[in-house]
Amino acid sequence: MHSLIKIADNKNVFIVNDIYEFIDPKNIYIPILKSSSFNKNTYIYKNTYFNDFIASASGFISGSKKFFLYNQLIPCLKITNDFKENVHKNTRIKKVNNIDELKQVLLKYKLNNIYDKLSNNPDNIIVTCVDEEAYSAREFMCLSKNYDEILQTMDYLSKIIKINNLYLAIKSTNAKSIKNVKSIIGTYPNIKTVLLPDKYLISYKDNICEFLNVKANSIVLTTNEVYDIYQSVIKGKEIVEKLITISGDGIAKSYVIRVKLGTALKEVVDKFIEFNTDNYEVYVNGYLQGEKAQSIDELLITKDTDTFIINEKSTLKEEECINCGACFKICPFDINVKKCYFENRQSLKCIRCGLCNYICPAHLNLKKVVGGQNEK
Ligand code: SF4
Ligand code: SF4
């Protein structure tokens, strides 16, 4: 394993130790990726799919708005929530007997990320409640509020996939989770609790498998993914809500909030967030792995966006490279980061972990070039 580092904490960032709810947005938005026409005033039932996106509420189409998704502004249908939660037809629960049937059900619920993780003939299932990104707490909080559901689903998966090696990985610094898990884990003798060091990228698949000394053909799932399996495969419910973290040193308190998919971030921020400053910047999907956004107004909560960091605007400016070699030394994949950057070249090995940006004393946005989102 490449030697991992601990990311320094900012003691001013304070996370509220609970899950808040914002599941009654005034409007929800559906990205329209393929050109298609929709009439205004068309009624949309909750749980209707538009390609990979789901309507998380019912109501009439009342217009459209562009949001910044997948590195571009994408038009989205605006549906004004009638708060009736009208569903066209209820989902029937189909009994799942093996990994192939499980995969089909995951595709039906558009849980493609989880589908991709289910290799055939795996030896282990590892569930991590590690929030890799600093100031995110959605994995840890998901476990804290759903111990029974997470453990029950792990047990269920072990029977479907026919695996006996189950690991629940918790950061050694999460004392509360460790205590709570220990109090109920006795019901599941097949699940082993393992403590992980507080190091960045420890839950990255190769690292965690190496740390646990298990084969790489393991399935590594997050607690939120396991909870989605519980909701969909076990309970037969469409996934229309998710946990997000809003955090950073530009706001008074950080929150983990349950929201509906398709909610505009601005609506959530207006309800919960007290700013410390007017001079802030926003990162989508974390400070290290995410990207800086232009404005809160153009951010939408989808299944691909979860951690919004609002920081006081940095005064650091990009400077000349001093040839220190720190970017190469820290890169987990030994990419010659500086060379790629100055040749304006992407590396396909890059996982966009952000460590090179974190370490670079010249404050260069190396990840953007090497990770393939070069807009220099
Ligand atoms: S962002 Fe990419 S290049 Fe930079 S350290 Fe991570 S993997 Fe290496
Ligand atoms: S870390 Fe920054 S300053 Fe140091 S060699 Fe890499 S690009 Fe240059």
Side-chain angles (χ1 to χ4, degrees):
M1 190 191 306
H2 205 277
S3 69
L4 303 177
I5 64 160
K6 179 175 170 10
I7 302 293
D9 292 333
N10 180 340
K11 300 291 176 213
N12 295 326
V13 178
F14 164 70
I15 299 191
V16 179
N17 196 13
D18 213 340
I19 294 178
Y20 285 71
E21 296 224 320
F22 187 75
I23 50 173
D24 293 319
K26 286 192 208 106
N27 304 294
I28 55 150
Y29 298 87
I30 309 279
I32 304 298
L33 298 175
K34 292 186 187 136
S35 63
S36 31
S37 61
F38 291 93
N39 292 333
K40 225 175 156 188
N41 296 326
T42 304
Y43 192 78
I44 304 295
Y45 288 91
K46 182 180 171 184
N47 295 354
T48 307
Y49 278 104
F50 296 79
N51 298 313
D52 277 352
F53 299 97
I54 192 166
S56 60
S58 58
F60 285 98
I61 295 177
S62 55
S64 67
K65 180 172 162 42
K66 285 187 176 172
F67 286 92
F68 197 74
L69 293 165
Y70 314 115
N71 299 315
Q72 53 185 311
L73 279 171
I74 293 195
C76 299
L77 288 180
K78 176 180 177 186
I79 299 168
T80 299
N81 191 354
D82 63 6
F83 303 104
K84 291 183 180 161
E85 304 276 303
N86 281 330
V87 178
H88 206 34
K89 53 179 187 263
N90 283 321
T91 315
R92 291 223 176 89
I93 305 178
K94 186 176 174 294
K95 192 165 169 355
V96 169
N97 297 304
N98 54 47
I99 191 166
D100 292 328
E101 289 178 13
L102 174 64
K103 283 173 149 183
Q104 292 315 309
V105 176
L106 290 172
L107 284 184
K108 173 185 171 303
Y109 288 104
K110 312 286 179 191
L111 296 170
N112 301 26
N113 282 357
I114 306 176
Y115 174 94
D116 290 343
K117 290 183 173 189
L118 297 189
S119 57
N120 282 323
N121 306 319
D123 286 327
N124 311 283
I125 299 174
I126 305 165
V127 174
T128 93
C129 77
V130 173
D131 290 279
E132 291 285 11
E133 278 285 345
Y135 322 126
S136 176
R138 54 190 295 278
E139 296 303 338
F140 159 65
M141 216 64 103
C142 178
L143 178 67
S144 305
K145 299 292 172 190
N146 305 292
Y147 291 110
D148 282 335
E149 291 83 352
I150 300 295
L151 295 174
Q152 184 192 332
T153 308
M154 288 177 71
D155 189 49
Y156 169 87
L157 288 174
S158 78
K159 291 181 177 123
I160 297 295
I161 305 177
K162 297 190 180 19
I163 282 182
N164 288 323
N165 300 325
L166 297 171
Y167 297 90
L168 180 64
I170 303 175
K171 248 193 206 172
S172 53
T173 44
N174 285 347
K176 196 174 156 216
S177 292
I178 297 164
K179 198 168 152 231
N180 289 336
V181 163
K182 277 191 175 155
S183 69
I184 56 170
I185 198 114
T187 329
Y188 299 95
N190 50 342
I191 303 176
K192 297 180 201 72
T193 313
V194 286
L195 302 185
L196 302 177
D198 185 12
K199 298 274 175 74
Y200 184 55
L201 297 185
I202 186 67
S203 67
Y204 184 72
K205 186 177 175 186
D206 291 352
N207 293 341
I208 199 167
C209 288
E210 196 176 329
F211 181 82
L212 297 177
N213 201 13
V214 296
K215 284 190 197 155
N217 67 337
S218 302
I219 297 170
V220 180
L221 298 169
T222 66
T223 39
N224 277 284
E225 286 171 335
V226 174
Y227 191 70
D228 280 349
I229 295 173
Y230 172 79
Q231 287 286 338
S232 56
V233 183
I234 297 182
K235 290 288 170 189
K237 292 184 182 166
E238 299 287 349
I239 308 295
V240 291
E241 294 171 5
K242 73 180 296 183
L243 295 183
I244 61 163
T245 300
I246 306 179
S247 182
D249 61 17
I251 59 178
K253 284 182 202 164
S254 304
Y255 291 87
V256 175
I257 309 171
R258 182 175 302 287
V259 293
K260 283 211 153 143
L261 292 173
T263 303
L265 180 66
K266 178 76 167 58
E267 221 185 311
V268 189
V269 166
D270 286 350
K271 158 101 182 177
F272 288 94
I273 301 301
E274 188 189 328
F275 287 87
N276 292 334
T277 170
D278 292 335
N279 202 18
Y280 59 83
E281 55 194 12
V282 193
Y283 291 82
V284 184
N285 288 345
Y287 180 65
L288 286 171
Q289 297 181 26
E291 284 302 326
K292 192 149 73 166
Q294 294 293 322
S295 126
I296 286 177
D297 291 357
E298 63 181 33
L299 296 179
L300 188 66
I301 298 160
T302 69
K303 59 183 179 180
D304 298 321
T305 53
D306 48 49
T307 301
F308 301 92
I309 302 293
I310 303 174
N311 276 348
E312 184 148 13
K313 202 167 191 167
S314 169
T315 51
L316 299 172
K317 296 259 176 298
E318 291 197 354
E319 292 166 17
E320 290 259 311
C321 169
I322 57 168
N323 241 333
C324 65
C327 50
F328 172 66
K329 236 187 266 169
I330 204 161
C331 176
F333 297 98
D334 299 327
I335 298 166
N336 192 334
V337 184
K338 188 192 81 175
K339 191 164 186 286
C340 287
Y341 177 80
F342 285 107
E343 288 175 2
N344 200 5
R345 185 161 54 78
Q346 180 184 356
S347 166
L348 294 177
K349 287 196 287 179
C350 175
I351 59 162
R352 304 181 49 76
C353 70
L355 280 171
C356 48
N357 282 18
Y358 176 76
I359 209 79
C360 176
H363 319 299
L364 299 174
N365 195 346
L366 305 163
K367 181 186 76 179
K368 201 163 192 174
V369 178
V370 185
Q373 281 185 14
N374 186 9
E375 287 161 23
K376 279 208 300 176

